């Protein structure tokens, strides 16, 4: 190992130029397989008819901006968190609030339902992710049973249980993601590679294996191996922060929503971006994206208060939904795909699905 | 001493970047035509079971508007 300063500088320069040439090679290899566009292949697919979706339920009760929400596996309960520190569990069929807790911090940017339905996780400006068991004992104080699991050195932006109640994956403003054991609070794996705040993450569908995707303020989407902590693929085509990432239901692709006002689809086996969902008239950032059950529709919430529904294959917008009176900050399709819920800075959450059953074919 | 540590760190970082890029450049890829065909066939296979795509009869819609009860 050289101790001579001049020699070290040469090594650094040669490493940097090797990195540049590898980046060029990576682009070349990806371009070789870019034989066609997704929307061209999708020309032979039948166009979608007209969509009419209606707000079915409006959940009112947060006193401030709703920042995050998640569905319970039972397809009816929802957990949501807001700027004023409140975390609420709702029955979306009846709109009743079943549980509520006030966090010791404001801006609870992340919340998640445990797979069992027996606990929720949340966090934000406290730099932590905490787990609260849910009980129906009216005398019990939910806050008393709180368990601190994750500790970051900056805000918590996203969290998700893995396929059990025992492990949680977190993303943070400190630029890292991490996997934690809920019971002991032990750090099991950390994921370093983003060059700035990580804003979102999504776990691959369980059949696909142990990977997850994250998006950050460095405009990169990164796919990670959960066991090794290695980044296995990275994509840098967005022009601004990536606010939301979500796997395509087959696990072979993922969508992203960004402050650059576009959503994009990246295919993992082709290792490249395969679609951009954008329009000249859409100039506000996309905050949150999710697929319908078959992957044909992509729902995206925007900072201009609207939700755009995209035909994933053809790349066209099939519907624009209004209803919120401020930014849409969070959006998730229910586990059985019968509805989706959007949360907004207008303090409400709305669940939407079909008004009419009949479909009309576009002329 | 501190500049030496900084440049050592920079070199370690640069080495990691090169290793990462080498790994990423060498993964196996498929053609976009094949990837697109697979995405499309997944959509087609599952379209029938996608309630937001196909619509649900009102009677089966768990979020249908609640009707008032009529006392007979």
């Amino acid at each position: 190992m050289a101790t001579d300063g001049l020699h070290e500088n040469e090594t650094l320069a040669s490493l940097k130029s090797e990195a540049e040439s590898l980046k060029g090679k990576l682009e070349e290899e990806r371009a070789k397989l870019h034989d066609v566009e997704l929307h061209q292949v999708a020309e032979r697919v039948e166009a979608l008819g007209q969509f009419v979706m209606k707000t079915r339920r409006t959940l009112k009760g947060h006193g401030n901006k709703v920042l995050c929400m998640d569905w319970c596996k039972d397809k009816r309960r929802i957990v949501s968190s807001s700027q004023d520190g409140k975390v609420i569990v709702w029955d979306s069929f009846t709109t009743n609030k079943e549980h509520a807790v006030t966090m010791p911090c404001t801006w609870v940017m992340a919340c998640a339902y445990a797979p069992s339905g027996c606990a929720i996780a949340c966090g934000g400006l406290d730099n932590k992710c905490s787990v609260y068991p849910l009980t129906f004992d009216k005398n019990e104080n939910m806050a008393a049973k709180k368990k601190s699991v994750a500790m970051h050195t900056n805000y918590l932006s996203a969290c998700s249980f893995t396929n059990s109640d025992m492990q949680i994956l977190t993303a943070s403003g400190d630029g890292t993601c991490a996997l934690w054991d809920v019971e002991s609070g032990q750090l099991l794996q950390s994921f370093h590679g983003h060059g700035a705040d990580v804003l979102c993450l999504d776990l691959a569908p369980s059949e696909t294996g142990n990977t997850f995707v994250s998006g950050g303020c460095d405009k990169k989407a990164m796919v990670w191996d959960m066991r090794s902590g290695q980044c296995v693929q990275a994509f840098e085509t967005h022009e601004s922060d990536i606010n939301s990432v979500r796997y395509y239901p087959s696990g072979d692709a993922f969508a992203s929503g960004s402050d650059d006002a576009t959503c994009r689809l990246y295919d993992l086996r082709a290792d490249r971006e395969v679609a951009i969902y954008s329009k000249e008239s859409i100039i506000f950032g996309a905050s949150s994206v999710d697929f319908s059950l078959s992957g044909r529709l992509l729902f995206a919430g925007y900072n201009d208060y609207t939700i755009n529904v995209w035909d994933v294959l053809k790349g066209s917008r099939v519907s624009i939904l209004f209803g919120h009176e401020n930014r849409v900050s969070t959006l998730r399709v229910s586990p059985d795909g019968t509805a989706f819920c959007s949360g907004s800075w207008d303090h409400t959450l709305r669940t939407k699905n079909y008004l009419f059953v009949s479909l009309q074919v576009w002329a | 001493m501190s500049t030496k540590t900084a440049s050592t760190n920079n070199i370690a970082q640069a080495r990691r970047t090169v290793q990462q890029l080498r790994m990423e450049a060498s993964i196996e890829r498929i053609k976009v035509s094949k990837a697109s065909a697979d995405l499309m066939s997944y959509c087609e296979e599952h379209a029938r079971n996608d309630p937001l795509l196909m619509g649900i009869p009102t009677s089966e819609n768990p979020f249908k508007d609640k009707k008032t009860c009529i006392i007979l």
Side-chain angles (χ1 to χ4, degrees):
Chain A
M1 168 85 179
T3 50
D4 178 13
L6 186 60
H7 188 72
E8 279 174 354
N9 284 340
E10 279 179 48
T11 313
L12 186 63
S14 67
L15 282 170
K16 285 200 165 151
S17 80
E18 191 181 349
E20 282 314 304
S21 85
L22 279 168
K23 278 187 192 159
K25 181 171 178 226
L26 187 55
E27 282 321 300
E28 253 177 62
E29 293 297 316
R30 282 172 167 168
K32 274 182 199 167
L33 298 160
H34 189 196
D35 52 348
V36 77
E37 298 289 342
L38 170 61
H39 65 83
Q40 288 169 319
V41 178
E43 263 160 29
R44 62 174 179 79
V45 177
E46 231 179 86
L48 294 172
Q50 195 155 26
F51 283 82
V52 186
M53 289 195 195
K54 184 184 163 192
T55 299
R56 298 294 177 173
R57 301 287 187 273
T58 302
L59 307 178
K60 293 187 190 173
H62 276 294
N64 215 311
K65 304 178 168 79
V66 175
L67 302 176
C68 188
M69 57 96 17
D70 190 21
W71 288 89
C72 177
K73 282 205 157 72
D74 72 0
K75 315 156 216 165
R76 76 186 267 175
R77 284 174 178 80
I78 285 175
V79 62
S80 60
S81 62
S82 73
Q83 184 196 356
D84 62 2
K86 286 225 163 41
V87 179
I88 300 178
V89 175
W90 316 75
D91 176 334
S92 66
F93 288 0
T94 63
T95 75
N96 289 341
K97 297 181 203 36
E98 294 193 342
H99 301 90
V101 71
T102 306
M103 294 278 284
C105 68
T106 55
W107 289 90
V108 188
M109 291 171 248
C111 63
Y113 229 115
S116 68
C118 298
I120 54 150
C122 53
L125 284 189
D126 57 353
N127 300 356
K128 295 190 216 170
C129 185
S130 308
V131 173
Y132 291 86
L134 298 173
T135 67
F136 284 93
D137 182 350
K138 288 207 182 347
N139 295 322
E140 198 161 79
N141 177 8
M142 216 171 119
K145 294 255 160 169
K146 166 180 168 174
K147 187 188 294 194
S148 271
V149 174
M151 283 281 283
H152 278 279
T153 55
N154 209 323
Y155 63 90
L156 186 83
S157 55
C159 64
S160 173
F161 284 86
T162 59
N163 47 24
S164 82
D165 284 20
M166 304 282 73
Q167 290 182 357
I168 284 188
L169 196 55
T170 57
S172 169
D174 67 14
T176 71
C177 297
L179 180 65
W180 309 83
D181 177 272
V182 172
E183 195 54 51
S184 63
Q186 200 192 350
L187 174 68
L188 298 172
Q189 186 60 263
S190 65
F191 306 89
H192 296 258
H194 276 288
D197 307 21
V198 188
L199 298 179
C200 51
L201 62 80
D202 191 36
L203 270 128
S206 41
E207 314 79 52
T208 327
N210 280 319
T211 60
F212 73 94
V213 60
S214 63
C217 291
D218 57 356
K219 312 174 200 170
K220 281 204 241 175
M222 300 178 81
V223 182
W224 306 88
D225 179 316
M226 277 168 71
R227 288 202 196 94
S228 67
Q230 277 269 20
C231 167
V232 293
Q233 282 170 281
F235 304 90
E236 202 172 350
T237 61
H238 271 294
E239 294 166 19
S240 186
D241 301 2
I242 298 180
N243 299 311
S244 177
V245 285
R246 193 72 66 211
Y247 270 91
Y248 185 80
S250 70
D252 287 336
F254 69 90
S256 57
S258 162
D259 275 352
D260 68 7
T262 71
C263 298
R264 296 176 198 235
L265 186 70
Y266 298 90
D267 189 286
L268 294 168
R269 295 176 312 148
D271 187 38
R272 63 173 299 122
E273 175 192 294
V274 292
I276 303 186
Y277 308 101
S278 68
K279 272 179 113 64
E280 264 183 47
S281 54
I282 301 175
I283 57 172
F284 283 82
S287 63
S288 193
V289 299
D290 203 358
F291 288 99
S292 69
L293 229 54
S294 66
R296 182 68 192 268
L297 299 175
L298 182 71
F299 296 91
Y302 290 76
N303 293 341
D304 65 0
Y305 316 175
T306 66
I307 294 166
N308 288 305
V309 186
W310 300 92
D311 179 329
V312 169
L313 302 177
K314 290 184 180 287
S316 51
R317 179 174 65 185
V318 293
S319 192
I320 176 169
L321 303 172
F322 304 94
H324 278 296
E325 293 157 24
N326 206 319
R327 285 192 191 195
V328 178
S329 52
T330 179
L331 187 157
R332 296 296 293 262
V333 171
S334 70
D336 61 355
T338 56
F340 71 90
C341 180
S342 56
S344 164
W345 282 18
D346 70 7
H347 313 183
T348 71
L349 296 126
R350 289 165 203 261
T351 52
K352 286 178 153 61
N353 67 12
Y354 262 100
L355 176 60
F356 301 122
V357 174
S358 64
L359 295 172
Q360 297 155 330
V361 178
W362 289 119
Chain B
M1 207 281 275
S2 58
T3 36
K4 187 172 165 214
T5 317
S7 58
T8 313
N9 287 341
N10 284 344
I11 290 187
Q13 175 71 18
R15 277 212 186 95
R16 272 196 298 269
T17 305
V18 166
Q19 270 164 2
Q20 180 66 29
L21 285 166
R22 269 196 202 131
M23 198 266 312
E24 285 178 32
S26 66
I27 67 167
E28 281 193 28
R29 295 176 187 85
I30 65 172
K31 287 190 181 165
V32 176
S33 49
K34 167 86 171 94
S36 304
D38 289 350
L39 290 172
M40 277 166 51
S41 69
Y42 187 93
C43 280
E44 274 169 271
E45 262 175 61
H46 294 85
R48 233 163 300 128
N49 302 322
D50 186 344
L52 285 167
L53 185 66
M54 305 304 281
I56 338 169
T58 314
S59 54
E60 287 170 30
N61 188 346
F63 290 98
K64 66 172 178 271
D65 297 330
K66 296 174 270 199
K67 291 195 163 71
T68 50
C69 293
I70 303 167
I71 299 171
L72 297 168

